[in-house]
Amino acid sequence: MQKVPLVFSIIDQEKTEFDVVGFMVREGKVRIIGGKWRSRVITFPDEKYLRPTPDRVRETVFNWLGQDLTGKYCLDLFAGSGAMGFEAASRGAERVVMVELSRSIMHQLDATRQKLDAVQVELVQMDALAFIASDVRQYDVIFLDPPFQFNLLPDLLMQLPSHMTGDGLVYIENDHKFDLDEQWLVWRSGRAGKVYHHLLKLKKNG
């Protein structure tokens, strides 16, 4: 009997991976993709504006950041699912401050922190704009992914420079292209579906 070879193309594999990831997100779950907690699953509640950064985008972002964040101080201003903040902690960040206003989301973030024993993660239940106005610390990496509907990026970006270290970077997501003011330089840029994602630095630190 002639054997018929089984062909499993890269496209088939990518489609399967996409389907699995999509199912997990619909079930309120995301997977940490690198570092000491690689493959650990974190859960998040069903909230209207909660939109976890997809696995492939996170992989791209942390490739941009160099994979290893050992010693870095990070701020996740709209923590949501916690995917970016816990990913940073998994990859060695010294401190990760995760800011989230929703009580139900904060409850789940705290449960995840305890499950992972993520002692380097600090949780702050607070409005992001109020936090930026009151916090005096500086960060090496700031993750900025607010709900698209409220157009918060322009106001937030104006307030971030004083919160950045000399070589600090800001990661942003948005559903459309928009003009940055002259103090910002787009260092890395990408697009996944309808979402644009960029890694910014201050021009003065070029």
Side-chain angles (χ1 to χ4, degrees), residues 44-205:
F44 57 90
D46 182 15
E47 292 266 346
K48 183 177 181 180
Y49 298 113
L50 202 159
R51 176 183 40 79
T53 301
D55 286 16
R56 290 194 178 184
V57 174
R58 269 185 291 134
E59 185 174 5
T60 296
V61 172
F62 284 93
N63 283 337
W64 290 344
L65 293 172
Q67 298 286 347
D68 184 3
L69 271 61
T70 298
K72 301 291 187 183
Y73 280 71
C74 303
L75 172 62
D76 189 357
L77 258 184
F78 294 82
S81 68
M84 299 301 282
F86 286 118
E87 190 76 46
S90 180
R91 294 169 185 263
E94 179 77 14
R95 193 73 172 169
V96 180
V97 180
M98 301 172 71
V99 180
E100 175 56 53
L101 182 60
S102 166
R103 180 175 297 179
S104 61
I105 294 177
M106 181 59 67
H107 178 77
Q108 185 57 55
L109 290 172
D110 188 46
T112 300
R113 178 176 63 174
Q114 293 183 49
K115 179 177 72 173
L116 297 174
D117 192 25
V119 295
Q120 68 274 62
V121 171
E122 174 187 344
L123 300 177
V124 180
Q125 186 178 350
M126 195 173 184
D127 174 79
L129 287 166
F131 176 84
I132 280 294
S134 61
D135 186 60
V136 297
R137 290 171 288 186
Q138 291 187 320
Y139 301 91
D140 300 293
V141 182
I142 299 176
F143 301 106
L144 188 55
D145 181 18
F148 296 154
Q149 295 88 339
F150 303 126
N151 195 33
L152 296 172
L153 279 176
D155 288 342
L156 285 163
L157 285 171
M158 288 179 60
Q159 300 183 54
L160 289 188
S162 63
H163 297 274
M164 298 168 62
T165 58
D167 57 352
L169 297 167
V170 176
Y171 169 74
I172 64 171
E173 288 187 20
N174 202 22
D175 62 348
H176 63 276
K177 292 183 178 180
F178 71 102
D179 294 327
L180 296 164
D181 65 51
E182 61 183 15
Q183 67 182 330
W184 293 104
L185 174 69
V186 178
W187 188 51
R188 297 286 187 272
S189 185
R191 182 179 178 182
K194 297 180 179 180
V195 177
Y196 297 85
H197 47 280
H198 311 284
L199 199 59
L200 312 178
K201 60 170 59 176
L202 290 170
K203 282 185 179 178
K204 67 179 183 180
N205 299 329

